[in-house]
């Protein structure tokens, strides 16, 4: 399987604090990857490393088979849109397109012009006068018109209203359909990840907690509900990811490595949001194997 990003024991340290550590993952080509995690988990650091804006403090990172931002050719193969859209307030929309054409040898001028027209942007309008949604769409247009092989998006819809967010994601999906591009989308919004992504990476505590195909991950996890019990009473062939308890009942989110053979447990499917929150919680409070925290939580 061809990969677009390969990290081995990757780490980035700022003074005495590791923003990303022991990061080992492989992102396959041709996917829309959702990158989720709490603030400070290392999402932006990973994307900035992949874009070549940061150098790693430890480990190895290969992007599209080489070192990120090694030369102009490598830069042209990767598109990057930061959370604050990288546009110049004093430049008009037309100025941005001209700059993009000047800086990128693979520039798709017709693609960029059609995208601006479809968005209803005035080419003479300065970027500083555009709405936040329009600036985000302009930044995405510039990144797409580079014709990258890998497109990195760092929470580009975080400040957008629901309508602008939906329009942004719609254009993103059109790009996937029209171009041979792999995408990594960082977001706090699981609903957006569920709408457009087919591959998931969960970061927490600056480490990768989970990575894989979305459908496979969801189908391999379940919620088990039964009478309250200690870990010795948990069903076999199940990796307990998270557990909560009332006075009488235990509720477990498990990764199944075999069937649940005990009839005492009620088995329910989990949503993608359930899955993400369980692994984020495990990253915040690491536990190994079965666990029982002794606390009563609702």
């Amino acid at each position: 399987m061809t990969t677009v990003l390969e990290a081995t024991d990757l780490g980035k340290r700022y003074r005495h604090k590791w923003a990303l550590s022991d990061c080992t993952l492989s992102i396959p080509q041709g996917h829309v990857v959702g990158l989720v995690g709490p603030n400070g988990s290392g999402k932006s650091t990973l994307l900035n490393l992949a874009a070549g804006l940061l150098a790693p403090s430890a480990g190895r990172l290969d992007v599209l088979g080489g070192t990120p931002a090694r030369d102009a050719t490598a830069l042209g193969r990767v598109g990057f849109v930061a959370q604050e859209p990288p546009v110049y307030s004093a430049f008009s929309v037309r100025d941005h397109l001209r700059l993009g054409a000047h800086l990128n040898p693979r520039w798709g001028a017709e693609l960029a012009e059609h995208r601006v027209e479809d968005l209803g942007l005035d080419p003479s309008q300065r970027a500083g006068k555009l709405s936040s949604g329009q600036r985000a769409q302009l930044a995405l247009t510039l990144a797409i018109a580079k014709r990258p092989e890998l497109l990195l998006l760092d929470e580009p819809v975080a400040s957008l209203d629901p309508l602008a967010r939906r329009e942004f994601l719609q254009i993103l999906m059109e790009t996937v359909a029209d171009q041979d591009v792999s995408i990594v989308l960082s977001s706090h919004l699981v609903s957006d990840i569920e709408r457009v992504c087919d591959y998931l990476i969960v970061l927490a505590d600056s480490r990768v907690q989970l990575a894989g195909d979305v459908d496979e991950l969801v189908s391999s996890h379940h919620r088990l509900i039964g009478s309250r019990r200690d870990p010795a009473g948990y069903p076999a062939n199940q990796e307990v990811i998270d557990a909560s308890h009332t006075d009488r009942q235990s509720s477990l989110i498990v990764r199944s490595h075999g069937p649940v053979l005990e009839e005492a447990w009620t088995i329910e499917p989990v949503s993608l949001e359930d899955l993400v929150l369980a692994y984020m919680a495990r990253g915040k409070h690491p536990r190994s194997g079965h666990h029982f925290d002794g606390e009563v939580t609702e």
Side-chain angles (χ1 to χ4, degrees):
M1 179 182 296
T2 303
T3 62
V4 294
L5 187 151
E6 189 89 30
T8 305
D9 299 326
L10 181 66
K12 178 61 181 178
R13 181 173 60 189
Y14 298 98
R15 295 187 178 180
H16 301 296
K17 180 177 176 59
W18 287 91
L20 189 72
S21 59
D22 301 326
C23 177
T24 296
L25 75 152
S26 178
I27 297 179
Q29 183 182 31
H31 287 274
V32 181
V33 180
L35 179 63
V36 297
N39 289 333
S41 60
K43 302 188 302 299
S44 293
T45 297
L46 177 60
L47 293 181
N48 277 275
L49 287 166
L53 299 176
L54 294 174
S57 304
R60 178 176 177 175
L61 175 64
D62 290 332
V63 175
L64 299 174
T67 303
R70 176 188 58 229
D71 51 34
T73 301
L75 282 171
R77 299 173 70 194
V78 178
F80 180 56
V81 178
Q83 184 171 352
E84 289 297 326
V87 296
Y88 298 95
S89 297
F91 281 23
S92 69
V93 172
R94 185 180 294 110
D95 291 335
H96 281 88
L97 299 190
R98 288 171 177 166
L99 180 62
H102 177 71
L103 295 176
N104 298 285
R106 292 156 50 99
W107 183 257
E110 186 175 347
L111 170 63
E113 291 168 2
H114 284 170
R115 186 65 69 191
V116 165
E117 182 179 354
D118 290 343
L119 291 169
L121 298 179
D122 179 356
S124 64
Q125 182 74 53
R126 290 187 178 185
K129 299 296 184 179
L130 299 176
S131 69
S132 59
Q134 290 173 323
R135 288 195 298 273
Q137 292 286 20
L138 175 59
L140 179 61
T141 297
L142 297 173
I144 292 171
K146 289 181 67 174
R147 298 190 182 277
E149 296 173 46
L150 175 62
L151 180 57
L152 307 171
L153 305 173
D154 188 7
E155 298 194 44
V157 299
S159 62
L160 304 187
D161 62 60
L163 179 59
R165 188 166 70 245
R166 185 176 66 181
E167 292 173 345
F168 185 98
L169 295 175
Q170 179 61 39
I171 289 179
L172 188 63
M173 294 310 297
E174 291 172 1
T175 301
V176 173
D178 295 340
Q179 299 186 34
D180 184 17
V181 58
S182 303
I183 297 175
V184 180
L185 169 65
S186 168
S187 179
H188 283 297
L189 303 170
V190 177
S191 59
D192 289 343
I193 298 295
E194 195 165 21
R195 181 180 303 170
V196 301
C197 297
D198 58 9
Y199 197 92
L200 177 70
I201 298 172
V202 180
L203 282 178
D205 191 33
S206 75
R207 289 175 170 82
V208 177
Q209 303 293 329
L210 182 69
D213 179 89
V214 169
D215 289 340
E216 292 178 2
L217 291 176
V218 172
S219 64
S220 65
H221 289 76
H222 303 87
R223 185 185 302 277
L224 305 184
I225 301 173
S227 59
R228 180 164 179 154
R229 63 195 71 189
D230 61 31
Y234 289 173
N237 300 321
Q238 312 296 315
E239 178 188 0
V240 178
I241 306 303
D242 191 50
S244 60
H245 312 276
T246 64
D247 289 334
R248 297 185 178 182
Q249 180 175 280
S250 291
S251 178
L252 316 176
I253 290 182
V254 301
R255 189 168 193 170
S256 299
H257 300 287
V260 180
L261 302 177
E262 301 175 42
E263 297 181 357
W265 292 95
T266 299
I267 306 173
E268 297 181 351
V270 297
S271 67
L272 184 62
E273 183 174 15
D274 292 333
L275 187 64
V276 168
L277 291 176
Y279 277 91
M280 284 172 57
R282 190 168 79 155
K284 186 176 181 180
H285 303 291
R287 304 180 180 100
S288 59
H290 297 328
H291 65 271
F292 184 84
D293 57 18
E295 298 176 357
V296 177
T297 57
E298 299 297 333

